[in-house]
Amino acid sequence: MNNQLILIIEDDVEIVRILQAYFERDGYRTVTATDPHIGLAHHQRLKPDLVVLDVKMPKMDGFETLAALRSTDDTPVLMVTALAEDLDKLQALRLGADDYVVKPFNPLEVVARARAILRRTAGGRSSAVLRLGSLSIDSDAMTAHVGPISLTLTRTEYRLLEHMARSPNRVFERSELIDACLPEGEAMNRTVDSHMSNLRRKLGTAGMPDLITGVRGVGYRLDAAHG
């Protein structure tokens, strides 16, 4: 399992469902949007590792969406579209797409191409080991340690800890934590609270009881001062 987050922006709900299933089967986390404006908001808020982007969408096409992404960020982008003309491919690449897949496609090919893009771009992105004081998080191994103490975390607890540790001192709303860390279901505030309670208990046992604090009526914050 690699815990990387894939944002799928595609207006065809059935294609979204298929891609989501194949990516999650390979261990990726996913968040989806059938509206490109919502997709851009997800991108700004969640900072995904890769975007799978359709070209032909209402309101705002994939080329416009790609240009908006590239104006603020260098997140890898895999274009998926029914347009097979060379000019369309060249336009996508000129705007900054990393690769291009034409419909109809094999979902396995999409996942393989995404994996190859992530492998190529990994060197220019954040280190696999995230450190915050005595806390270290290895995103490749999906493990976390407080000094020499290994934390025994569930997959969801690990996701929550890693996601928050990438933006210490920021307040995360419960809805954002649901989108980023619990994409496969049980999307309720009390579910986040339950996982967070267990995570805070385990951190406390390892000597970091105040690392994560609750913000009444909003969500949670990871306090860098206690790292």
Side-chain angles (χ1 to χ4, degrees):
M1 298 297 180
N2 49 55
N3 202 48
Q4 290 169 301
L5 179 63
I6 309 295
L7 169 59
I8 303 169
I9 306 176
E10 161 69 66
D11 66 322
D12 188 318
V13 176
E14 182 62 18
I15 290 177
V16 169
R17 185 188 65 78
I18 292 170
L19 289 176
Q20 190 172 23
Y22 274 82
F23 274 114
E24 291 183 0
R25 189 183 70 174
D26 260 34
Y28 295 96
R29 294 178 293 136
T30 62
V31 61
T32 67
T34 55
D35 181 310
H37 295 286
I38 295 175
L40 288 172
H42 282 335
H43 175 266
Q44 183 177 10
R45 189 161 56 97
L46 301 175
K47 305 299 182 187
D49 296 283
L50 180 138
V51 178
V52 176
L53 178 62
D54 185 31
V55 168
K56 295 190 70 175
M57 293 184 290
K59 301 182 182 178
M60 184 179 189
D61 68 27
F63 297 131
E64 295 173 295
T65 306
L66 176 59
L69 288 172
R70 283 290 172 263
S71 69
T72 60
D73 197 270
D74 63 351
T75 305
V77 175
L78 172 62
M79 302 292 285
V80 179
T81 180
L83 302 174
E85 298 295 328
D86 287 341
L87 286 177
D88 296 313
K89 295 179 182 179
L90 290 173
Q91 182 178 356
L93 295 173
R94 179 177 59 80
L95 288 171
D98 293 85
D99 203 351
Y100 197 108
V101 178
V102 177
K103 300 174 183 177
F105 55 76
N106 183 332
L108 291 172
E109 180 187 0
V110 177
V111 174
R113 285 177 179 265
R115 188 186 304 114
I117 292 171
L118 288 167
R119 191 163 52 242
R120 290 198 307 268
T121 58
R125 299 180 70 81
S126 58
S127 169
V129 179
L130 178 64
R131 301 187 188 280
L132 189 67
S134 59
L135 174 68
S136 62
I137 301 171
D138 188 328
S139 59
D140 287 339
M142 287 186 66
T143 58
H145 290 76
V146 175
I149 302 172
S150 176
L151 297 174
T152 304
L153 304 178
T154 66
R155 185 176 175 186
T156 298
E157 290 163 3
Y158 172 83
R159 288 173 173 174
L160 289 166
L161 179 61
E162 187 208 32
H163 186 70
M164 295 181 71
R166 291 193 180 281
S167 300
N169 299 321
R170 176 184 164 194
V171 176
F172 290 85
E173 296 182 7
R174 288 177 176 83
S175 60
E176 176 179 352
L177 294 173
I178 288 170
D179 285 343
C181 305
L182 289 87
E184 58 275 347
E186 292 192 306
M188 297 178 290
N189 286 347
R190 64 176 179 268
T191 304
V192 174
D193 291 339
S194 176
H195 287 300
M196 196 64 74
S197 176
N198 291 333
L199 174 58
R200 294 168 73 185
R201 175 177 51 80
K202 292 175 182 180
L203 286 166
T205 300
M208 303 185 78
D210 301 317
L211 181 65
I212 295 175
T213 57
V215 179
R216 181 178 290 275
V218 181
Y220 295 89
R221 177 179 61 221
L222 188 146
D223 191 346
H226 293 283

